[in-house]
Amino acid sequence: MSRILIADDEAYIRDLLVKYIRDGESAEEVEAAGDGREALEKARAFRPDIVVTDITMPHLSGLELIRRLQEEKIPCKAVIISGYDEFDYAKQAISLGVKDYLLKPFLPEEILRVLRKIKEELDNQKQFRKNMEFLQQKAEIGKNLAREKIIWSLLSGKSDGGNGGYWKEEGPEILPGSLCAGILKFYGTSWKFESQDRVEELLNLICGGYFGVRLNLCAVSLDETSLAVIFSIRERDANTLKHHIQIGVGRMRESFEKYYGESIRCSVGGIYDSPDKIACSYQQALNLWTCCLDQKSTVLFFGEECDKTKEDLSGQIREWKSRICADVRTAQKEQAFQDWRSLMHCYASLSSKRADYIRASAGELVYALETEREIYGAGEEEERQKRIRRAILDHASLMELEQMLEGYIGECCDMAARHSETNRVQQMVGQVKSLIETNLGNSELSLEWIEARIHFSASYIRQMFKQKTGESISEYMIRKRMELAGRLLGREDGKVQDAARACGYENQRYFASSFKKFYGCTPTQFKQIVARDPQLWMK
């Protein structure tokens, strides 16, 4: 739809033009003005694509109207209508870029033909602009993708080196002095680095304003909230580079907390004087980030972390992971959180040189928990979350691991509680039965003894066991002991004292009393009955 403005001081002509255009071109928006000044005011608000104007009008002539529209940069095509066929008017109209010059009187078909011709030209221009914008966007995306590829090749140590690797026109500018790599993490929701375009937007915002002109930055996204950054300056001075990074990240954090409600933290690898060392610096920054539980420092520099224990904690770490899996399996959420925090303290005690070990160890725990969850079925969303967790594990700090996996452990415990209550109770009951049946000869066998060996409280064991079996723990224990006693006393060589000991009774008299309550006769009478009729016992 095109917007057309009619300007003519003759009401009859003005109304006739509006009618011609609306009847002939029903899809158009048409406005009308009675003089040049009114037309200019309407054009400022209406922003017409085409202006059809008489030359001679009060206050402002048609030619002056066109000139003013051009001065105010209101882009439109102009058509002159006039009752005067004068060369001077035509000459001025041509100099102003007027598209056509119609002499009054004219037929409706003439004005419609002129308008259709101009509209076709406008459509072609719009399409051309769209094509140019598309090509420009495509070129910008291509440029950004090329920059992203080159930066990653530097960070991964796969660059071909020299001018071909570092100084390509579309590549990052790395100043030939001191340089290092770092991890920049944003805690909030304002910035999501889903593409290199978004990364470049942030760099345009922060470079110069926060870090000053001496420090250069280039970056790629690690994930939606993290960047891998290369810092460089012209001076071969590590302390100067450190100072600029410390000040710049500090300013960023202060500003982003104020305006975006976001917090920022950064880890920085070793500082070198050659681009060949960028990959080494990046790995150091990644390792430092992985081992970080410090929530106070804005910037962490490799080599300045505090001394950590040299004690071998691998055994403790394996034990804590095993406990966490057992806690999750039995839906003991609070215990799982407590054991997880203990595991995190073990990780935090390791040097940044053990970062690969920490990532692998945490990955093993995540894999074990995912395996537990698969028992209940894993949908597409679960598979997507699994991929996200694996990606985060590659470059998450201990602080992020603590938050991410604590939430995940809680989810696993909730899922176990929701989907496996029946199985869990059955497993617990089976475990209790097994403990009783394999420890009948243990005089200390009791509910408290059982409680100490499984991850359930005595009251829960008592309640669930009675609910599932119809017997109390003590009733089941006595029945199994008496059944064992009956089998032993049913033998020809069976002795009462041996049966009592095998059933966990240290006092033979107490054994005899329990036996009589169960069978209705004493152990001696039982032996006599079985001796007279062995088949009776078999029945």
Side-chain angles (χ1 to χ4, degrees):
M1 182 179 290
S2 298
R3 294 183 295 274
I4 301 173
L5 176 63
I6 307 297
D8 198 307
D9 59 331
E10 295 184 61
Y12 172 74
I13 299 294
R14 186 171 66 245
D15 295 342
L16 200 59
L17 282 171
V18 171
K19 183 178 184 303
Y20 283 167
I21 294 170
R22 283 180 175 163
D23 290 347
E25 303 289 326
S26 58
E28 308 304 333
E29 288 186 56
V30 184
E31 289 284 344
D35 58 59
R37 187 160 54 193
E38 182 187 0
L40 181 60
E41 290 174 358
K42 285 197 172 184
R44 288 167 178 158
F46 185 51
R47 312 296 290 187
D49 299 305
I50 304 171
V51 173
V52 180
T53 179
D54 191 9
I55 287 184
T56 56
M57 292 184 295
H59 307 301
L60 206 64
S61 72
L63 294 175
E64 186 60 29
L65 170 64
I66 295 169
R67 189 175 291 106
R68 292 285 296 275
L69 290 173
Q70 292 177 351
E71 289 173 357
E72 295 189 22
K73 300 188 183 308
I74 299 175
C76 57
K77 304 291 184 182
V79 177
I80 293 289
I81 54 176
S82 177
Y84 303 97
D85 185 12
E86 294 188 12
F87 176 75
D88 188 49
Y89 284 152
K91 183 178 178 182
Q92 290 184 58
I94 291 170
S95 69
L96 292 170
V98 171
K99 300 305 296 180
D100 221 316
Y101 193 110
L102 293 176
L103 288 175
K104 299 176 183 178
F106 50 81
L107 297 173
E109 290 78 8
E110 291 183 76
I111 186 66
L112 294 179
R113 175 183 55 77
V114 169
L115 293 178
R116 286 170 188 154
K117 180 181 175 183
I118 295 174
K119 281 173 56 184
E120 184 177 348
E121 184 179 335
L122 286 171
D123 289 341
N124 290 337
Q125 288 179 351
K126 287 178 182 177
Q127 188 59 48
F128 177 76
R129 281 196 298 271
K130 284 183 180 179
N131 292 341
M132 291 302 295
E133 287 172 4
F134 173 74
L135 291 173
Q136 188 174 4
Q137 290 173 359
K138 197 170 181 181
E140 192 64 32
I141 290 171
K143 180 180 177 181
N144 287 338
L145 288 175
R147 284 174 58 82
E148 182 180 18
K149 183 177 180 181
I150 293 170
I151 294 170
W152 269 124
S153 70
L154 289 165
L155 293 170
S156 61
K158 296 178 181 178
S159 173
D160 57 1
N163 292 338
Y166 309 133
W167 315 111
K168 290 181 180 178
E169 182 180 344
E170 68 274 18
E173 182 185 2
I174 299 174
L175 301 177
S178 299
L179 53 85
C180 60
I183 309 293
L184 195 58
K185 175 72 177 183
F186 293 77
Y187 296 93
T189 59
S190 299
W191 289 92
K192 297 294 183 184
F193 305 110
E194 64 275 3
S195 69
Q196 187 64 21
D197 295 344
R198 190 70 168 141
V199 176
E200 298 297 332
E201 284 180 27
L202 177 72
L203 292 177
N204 289 334
L205 174 67
I206 65 176
C207 287
Y210 294 108
F211 291 91
V213 295
R214 293 172 65 186
L215 182 65
N216 188 72
L217 287 81
C218 55
V220 290
S221 64
L222 282 173
D223 56 41
E224 287 191 346
T225 59
S226 305
L227 297 179
V229 186
I230 299 174
F231 302 96
S232 62
I233 59 172
R234 294 191 182 279
E235 298 90 339
R236 292 183 181 273
D237 185 343
N239 289 329
T240 299
L241 180 54
K242 272 187 181 180
H243 174 75
H244 281 292
I245 294 172
Q246 185 84 55
I247 296 298
V249 175
R251 287 173 178 167
M252 274 187 68
R253 179 170 184 169
E254 182 180 340
S255 177
F256 274 58
E257 284 179 347
K258 181 177 179 180
Y259 296 107
Y260 298 102
E262 283 192 357
S263 182
I264 297 173
R265 299 182 71 247
C266 182
S267 72
V268 181
I271 296 176
Y272 301 94
D273 58 6
S274 169
D276 293 322
K277 296 292 186 179
I278 288 175
C280 177
S281 181
Y282 173 63
Q283 191 59 49
Q284 290 166 345
L286 198 58
N287 290 348
L288 179 58
W289 186 251
T290 298
C291 297
C292 172
L293 259 181
D294 177 10
Q295 300 188 31
K296 297 179 181 178
S297 300
T298 301
V299 186
L300 300 167
F301 288 100
F302 180 78
E304 294 183 359
E305 64 269 38
C306 58
D307 292 336
K308 301 203 175 184
T309 182
K310 294 183 179 179
E311 180 185 354
D312 185 5
L313 299 175
S314 55
Q316 291 184 39
I317 288 172
R318 283 195 300 272
E319 175 64 21
W320 288 123
K321 289 197 295 184
S322 177
R323 289 190 185 187
I324 291 166
C325 289
D327 297 335
V328 168
R329 195 175 302 119
T330 53
Q332 303 297 300
K333 185 186 287 189
E334 292 306 317
Q335 185 62 47
F337 287 159
Q338 184 176 331
D339 292 341
W340 168 241
R341 286 188 285 270
S342 297
L343 175 61
M344 290 303 298
H345 285 303
C346 285
Y347 284 151
S349 298
L350 298 175
S351 164
S352 61
K353 294 178 181 178
R354 302 293 304 279
D356 289 340
Y357 168 76
I358 293 173
R359 281 192 285 268
S361 177
E364 287 175 357
L365 175 61
V366 169
Y367 179 78
L369 294 176
E370 289 172 347
T371 302
E372 288 288 335
R373 285 177 69 121
E374 286 175 1
I375 296 172
Y376 316 117
E380 291 183 5
E381 177 59 22
E382 174 65 18
E383 289 299 317
R384 189 181 76 84
Q385 291 298 327
K386 186 186 295 187
R387 291 191 294 272
I388 292 173
R389 283 192 295 273
R390 295 299 169 84
I392 292 174
L393 280 171
D394 288 341
H395 52 76
S397 70
L398 278 186
M399 185 174 64
E400 292 169 320
L401 279 178
E402 185 173 36
Q403 295 169 350
M404 178 187 79
L405 290 189
E406 184 166 311
Y408 183 58
I409 288 168
E411 288 177 13
C412 291
C413 288
D414 291 340
M415 182 174 281
R418 287 195 305 270
H419 294 85
S420 298
E421 179 66 21
T422 301
N423 291 338
R424 186 162 62 88
V425 172
Q426 288 176 344
Q427 286 179 347
M428 182 272 290
V429 170
Q431 193 175 2
V432 170
K433 285 182 175 181
S434 178
L435 282 171
I436 291 172
E437 291 166 11
T438 56
N439 291 277
L440 292 173
N442 185 348
S443 61
E444 296 181 357
L445 180 63
S446 64
L447 178 57
E448 290 71 23
W449 184 90
I450 293 169
E451 178 192 16
R453 283 154 182 80
I454 61 176
H455 295 280
F456 298 95
S457 67
S459 60
Y460 184 81
I461 296 170
R462 184 189 301 110
Q463 179 184 350
M464 291 297 104
F465 193 91
K466 177 76 173 178
Q467 181 178 313
K468 290 296 179 183
T469 66
E471 291 180 291
S472 68
I473 294 282
S474 60
E475 288 171 343
Y476 184 81
M477 199 181 303
I478 291 171
R479 179 167 67 84
K480 286 298 177 181
R481 278 175 162 166
M482 293 302 103
E483 288 175 356
L484 174 61
R487 289 195 298 273
L488 294 174
L489 292 174
R491 299 174 184 171
E492 290 184 15
D493 59 347
K495 296 179 180 180
V496 174
Q497 60 268 31
D498 292 339
R501 194 178 305 111
C503 293
Y505 290 88
E506 295 178 346
N507 187 311
Q508 190 171 322
R509 184 173 294 178
Y510 180 50
F511 167 71
S513 174
S514 298
F515 191 92
K516 187 173 182 179
K517 285 180 182 178
F518 188 82
Y519 283 105
C521 62
T522 67
T524 303
Q525 290 170 338
F526 182 86
K527 282 186 67 64
Q528 293 171 352
I529 293 169
V530 172
R532 287 195 302 269
D533 186 0
Q535 295 300 319
L536 180 65
W537 166 243
M538 297 300 293
K539 293 177 183 178

